[in-house]
Amino acid sequence: MIGIGYEGLSLDQVVARLKLKGIETLVDVRLTPLSRKPGLSKRALSEALSAAGIRYIHDRRLGNPKDNRAAYADATSDAGAAARASYRALITSGDGADAVRELAALAEKQSVAVLCFEADEAHCHREQVIAAVTDASVLV
């Protein structure tokens, strides 16, 4: 499993990177899969990936709530640590935990990429998604 952020990339560059890595399924973990970048909103992205032989799944259960995003990028601040703790709680209980287990099961069967906006995974919630999936994979 890998993470990919589309910040600074075109749709064609995203698809090319996924193909280069042999990705079979892309899981979009944006709460709302909209983008101002051409081709990177849900429908257009899904169609482009399908044409490239890559399955698209949007799982809003793994999205970072809007009110939690501003502080999230700065992991060294108290607010950033609190935002990360809030997101960790979201994906370790209820629907979020179910989504993590389902993603772990999928990743056991095929190559998966987790998509969000930020280029640097250290500033994006997909880093925690991937870590949670890795932990859950031991249980699957």
Side-chain angles (χ1 to χ4, degrees), residues 5-89:
Y6 65 86
E7 182 179 20
L9 299 176
S10 68
L11 173 62
D12 290 342
Q13 289 171 312
V14 169
V15 172
R17 287 184 184 195
L18 295 171
K19 289 185 71 146
L20 183 65
K21 297 284 186 179
I23 298 300
E24 297 168 277
T25 300
L26 179 128
V27 178
D28 187 339
V29 296
R30 297 176 290 173
L31 185 63
T32 306
L34 300 173
S35 178
R36 292 182 184 135
K37 293 188 72 128
L40 289 160
S41 289
K42 182 177 181 173
R43 189 176 50 140
L45 178 58
S46 176
E47 289 170 1
L49 291 171
S50 179
I54 300 170
R55 180 178 170 207
Y56 173 87
I57 298 171
H58 171 240
D59 197 333
R60 70 176 285 114
R61 298 173 298 173
L62 296 173
N64 191 9
K66 189 173 184 173
D67 63 354
N68 198 50
R69 294 179 199 157
Y72 195 93
D74 185 6
T76 61
S77 71
D78 289 343
R84 287 165 184 274
S86 175
Y87 184 73
R88 189 170 28 262

Side-chain angles (χ1 to χ4, degrees), residues 67-122:
D67 63 354
N68 198 50
R69 294 179 199 157
Y72 195 93
D74 185 6
T76 61
S77 71
D78 289 343
R84 287 165 184 274
S86 175
Y87 184 73
R88 189 170 28 262
L90 183 105
I91 62 170
T92 56
S93 64
D95 288 344
D98 291 343
V100 166
R101 283 190 293 276
E102 290 167 22
L103 185 52
L106 178 65
E108 291 288 326
K109 299 175 193 162
Q110 57 188 265
S111 58
V112 174
V114 176
L115 173 99
C116 197
F117 173 73
E118 290 81 5
D120 185 349
E121 202 162 283

